[in-house]
Amino acid sequence: MNKKLFALLALVAILSTVLASCAPAEPEVVTVEKTVEVEKIVEVEKTVEVEKLVEVEKLVDRRVVLYNSYMSDPAPREADAEMVKMFEDANPEISIQHSTVAHEDFKQAIRAYLTASTPPDVMTWFAGNRARFFIDKGLIMDISDVWESEGWVDSYPAGFKAMSSVDDKQYFLPTSWYWWAVYYRKDIFEQYGLTPPETWEEFLAVCDTLQENGVTPIAIGTKYRWTTAAWFDYLNMRVNGPEFHINLMLGKEKYDDPRVAAVFNDYWAPLIDNGYFIDDPAAYSWSEALQFLIDGEAAMYLMGDFLRDSYPDDKEGDLDFFRFPIIDPSVPVGEDAPTDGYFIAANSQHPEDAKAFLGYLGSVEGQQYMADTLGRLPTNMDVDTSSFTEMQQKGLELIQGADFVAQFYDRDTTPEMADEGMNGFMEFWANTDKVADILSRLELTREEIFVEE
Amino acid sequence: MDNTTKKFFSSPWRSLGFFLMVLITMIWLLPFATALLTSVRTNDDILEQGFIAIPHEWTLGNFRTAWERGGLSRYLPNSFYITIPALLGTLLLSSLSAYALARFQFRGNRLLFFLYVGGTMLPFQVLMLPVFRLTDALGLYDKQLGLIIFHTAFQLGFCTFLLRNYMRTVPGEILEAARIDGCKEFRIWWQIMMPLTLPAIAALATLEFTWIFNDYLWSIVLLRTDALKPVTAGLATLQGQYVMDWTVIVAGALIATIPTVLLFIFLQRYFIEGLTLGATK
């Protein structure tokens, strides 16, 4: 009996070694050259013989930069890897150790990364308040010299520079951003003789017509709460103006202000109560709710431009977008345009090479590649936009025509406030008559969070 | 109808029970069937038709994508590099400590035993920060060795508890006889106790292998570099912010279950024996 057992154990062990040994053979089939690179590193680290390691390093003689990225969506992931490869080709003496981490995990893990004694050198992160959080704790390296030497002071719009600065020093490199808008089905609009609405009255009329014809006007999936925050951002900016909105985000205005209540009671609640949104949105994630738009059961969807990444390619021709309708023409126009970028850890072990890599990420060449591949918009004004698609041009105009650009609810305010706020939006969705209760509770939270600071 | 089948339908209650059993099995297998279905579809197909539907086009490409571009070809070996040393380490150390706790009378024996048991009661999430700081301070952060040491230490409590109880069922006379013949303690442990404990160790090995192999939390806390990650953490990197590559993730997950399934097929008998360990004395 025991012999049998040992035989089985041995079999398992052999199986595992076979599996392990077929790994290095794999890259021969792989055409992506980056994978081969990583395999090499694995091999080197696995073979415990130190001599070999030294040998390989001598042969290649490349300095290492650790780069951790949250670009885990399929398309950005590939583009990200390609960028790393392009940099390595241009700088053969530097090798990037590139790790992609699931987006949600990265947001948690970054706290470990930044406090570890050997942190990743370069990391992806969000512009605005989210970056400020770490900068204020002294965990992020001052990269004013890179801004200076790369000439970004001139080639980046002042708004992006301000976004990256604390006390006139730059800590962050914003590289790409995308717009939010109301996406709609052109063919359905044509079928019922509708045109994209510009004002709130027109928008309500469009909703009415669609509903009469058995089409749910608006799709939304609130399984993950942030989709509701987009509606709050836009309604609040359109009704009360972006200045009030951003002050609310910074804790300088009160949630129980009658102006906030008006957003809920006069604009948001009627949309929900009239059944303009799909039924049971909490049952769907945003991408599951996209189904309604694809099937033509719903006609509009307030979403970021990443919506197009998920839309079936052969049906994208039916898709277009319009600016969130204007409610009060006297109020400046604010838009959401979340910006992503990079920073360097304060205790980075390879600061000079990390800065070189950062310099490439922010350069015209790097940004041009990302813009052309992913359709996101570049921050560097020297990037040639003539080759952009119609959609990109339209998105660019949308944001350039705005008086103010916000990041997004959960990026503009503190994480704790955003968490409570989005809970509030969800509760409101289910009980549109409880606005006063919800807002007074949010006000209590706001006081607690912002008094502490 | 053969005899067994006849027996099943011998009374209406029996056949009702049988059909209930089939029904529950089918419900139980539904998620797995969905996973299989998803792994042979395309993302666009899922978006257009929803998760449960007959696909317009079938493809095995997802398995290839998961293996090559999804990086399973390096994550899977990593899983073994971590699991096997950790498993061997735990079993070796816990069988030693279990032997001592089961067979030697000394002051603090009970207390030590309760420490082991108490350690397993601790929800491991509370250890996250201290373990991270300790690993970082020891220079083991972002090294597979750190993860191996952690798993070994963390599983020690449960294994010791189980093996100690099992070893107590071994009649003391056998050990006495060996001792009288002049056998050293290490040899008693290795040549007498270990063979007698083998069923328990085999059962434990199956369990522990699955636990360590399936660990996700610690591999994302203690590792930073993609090239070092085991399959669980590696697969998770395929989850995007907005777009989930469901088909590839599911295909990868199916590949990742193969080692565990193989292990269960081969060690199933010991595993079931292990479930009733200590039930009778």
Side-chain angles (χ1 to χ4, degrees), chain A residues 177-248:
Chain A
W177 51 284
Y178 56 88
W179 64 89
W180 278 70
V182 182
Y183 285 79
Y184 73 102
R185 284 278 297 266
K186 268 193 289 193
D187 52 332
I188 299 179
F189 269 50
E190 265 166 38
Q191 190 184 340
Y192 301 115
L194 299 169
T195 49
E198 287 179 7
T199 66
W200 192 244
E201 290 71 31
E202 287 173 17
F203 179 69
L204 293 178
V206 164
C207 289
D208 265 342
T209 313
L210 287 168
Q211 203 175 33
E212 278 163 20
N213 289 291
V215 178
T216 312
I218 311 162
I220 187 170
T222 61
K223 193 191 221 167
Y224 304 105
R225 308 162 301 168
W226 51 267
T227 48
T228 54
W231 281 91
F232 177 74
D233 273 3
Y234 271 105
L235 287 170
N236 196 30
M237 282 196 285
R238 290 288 185 269
V239 174
N240 298 318
E243 199 184 335
F244 175 81
H245 178 69
I246 212 68
N247 281 335
L248 183 70

Side-chain angles (χ1 to χ4, degrees), chain B residues 247-262:
Chain B
T247 52
V248 177
I249 294 177
V250 170
L254 286 176
I255 298 178
T257 51
I258 293 175
T260 331
V261 170
L262 277 181

Side-chain angles (χ1 to χ4, degrees), chain A residues 55-350:
Chain A
E55 230 179 81
V56 172
E57 290 222 311
K58 253 187 207 158
L59 263 178
V60 186
D61 194 26
R62 296 167 88 180
R63 303 192 301 271
V64 173
V65 171
L66 312 175
Y67 167 44
N68 274 28
S69 160
Y70 60 42
M71 291 190 215
S72 54
D73 300 63
R77 186 192 181 92
E78 268 176 47
D80 195 23
E82 185 61 25
M83 278 277 278
V84 168
K85 197 180 152 284
M86 282 159 61
F87 173 77
E88 284 179 329
D89 288 347
N91 301 274
E93 73 284 3
I94 301 176
S95 159
I96 307 282
Q97 206 185 81
H98 178 197
S99 299
T100 306
V101 181
H103 192 86
E104 287 305 315
D105 291 339
F106 186 100
K107 279 160 49 179
Q108 305 301 324
I110 190 166
R111 288 156 197 261
Y113 295 159
L114 286 173
T115 50
S117 49
T118 53
D121 302 301
V122 178
M123 275 158 286
T124 47
W125 198 238
F126 312 99
N129 221 322
R130 288 264 183 104
R132 186 71 190 262
F133 179 79
F134 293 120
I135 295 171
D136 287 344
K137 288 187 162 51
L139 295 167
I140 307 302
M141 187 175 282
D142 176 3
I143 51 165
S144 306
D145 51 337
V146 187
W147 273 79
E148 194 67 43
S149 63
E150 296 283 332
W152 293 339
V153 184
D154 301 317
S155 58
Y156 279 60
F160 283 121
K161 191 188 165 203
M163 190 190 283
S164 317
S165 308
V166 176
D167 297 334
D168 254 356
K169 284 180 190 142
Q170 285 78 50
Y171 293 87
F172 190 81
L173 164 65
T175 48
S176 73
W177 51 284
Y178 56 88
W179 64 89
W180 278 70
V182 182
Y183 285 79
Y184 73 102
R185 284 278 297 266
K186 268 193 289 193
D187 52 332
I188 299 179
F189 269 50
E190 265 166 38
Q191 190 184 340
Y192 301 115
L194 299 169
T195 49
E198 287 179 7
T199 66
W200 192 244
E201 290 71 31
E202 287 173 17
F203 179 69
L204 293 178
V206 164
C207 289
D208 265 342
T209 313
L210 287 168
Q211 203 175 33
E212 278 163 20
N213 289 291
V215 178
T216 312
I218 311 162
I220 187 170
T222 61
K223 193 191 221 167
Y224 304 105
R225 308 162 301 168
W226 51 267
T227 48
T228 54
W231 281 91
F232 177 74
D233 273 3
Y234 271 105
L235 287 170
N236 196 30
M237 282 196 285
R238 290 288 185 269
V239 174
N240 298 318
E243 199 184 335
F244 175 81
H245 178 69
I246 212 68
N247 281 335
L248 183 70
M249 296 301 100
L250 295 173
K252 293 176 189 160
E253 296 281 356
K254 292 176 177 349
Y255 271 90
D256 55 6
D257 192 297
R259 285 175 287 181
V260 180
V263 168
F264 285 89
N265 288 326
D266 301 345
Y267 296 95
W268 202 353
L271 296 182
I272 299 172
D273 294 340
N274 288 346
Y276 288 163
F277 290 101
I278 57 166
D279 291 333
D280 303 321
Y284 314 100
S285 70
W286 85 265
S287 56
E288 285 160 2
L290 189 58
Q291 189 82 39
F292 292 95
L293 198 65
I294 296 169
D295 292 344
E297 286 173 40
M300 296 184 280
Y301 205 158
L302 173 64
M303 194 45 67
D305 186 52
F306 50 82
L307 177 138
R308 287 191 302 136
D309 294 352
S310 290
Y311 210 80
D313 294 340
D314 53 328
K315 297 187 174 169
E316 225 174 88
D318 291 334
L319 200 64
D320 201 358
F321 63 86
F322 58 82
R323 182 169 73 182
F324 195 92
I326 301 294
I327 293 176
D328 179 352
S330 67
V331 159
V333 177
E335 300 286 342
D336 268 342
T339 309
D340 288 14
Y342 302 89
F343 52 35
I344 302 179
N347 49 351
S348 158
Q349 308 290 304
H350 322 91

Side-chain angles (χ1 to χ4, degrees), chain B residues 56-117:
Chain B
H56 287 315
E57 48 177 319
W58 302 78
T59 170
L60 286 175
N62 293 322
F63 289 97
R64 195 189 164 84
T65 315
W67 185 260
E68 289 172 1
R69 261 193 311 126
L72 231 67
S73 56
R74 71 170 177 270
Y75 295 136
L76 208 55
N78 278 343
S79 274
F80 286 105
Y81 294 139
I82 294 166
T83 310
I84 291 175
L87 182 66
L88 293 179
T90 320
L91 291 180
L92 180 78
L93 291 176
S94 64
S95 63
L96 278 168
S97 60
Y99 178 60
L101 286 175
R103 285 296 154 202
F104 297 143
Q105 297 300 323
F106 57 89
R107 280 169 68 98
N109 181 316
R110 286 252 126 181
L111 182 74
L112 213 56
F113 180 59
F114 285 135
L115 266 179
Y116 275 116
V117 179

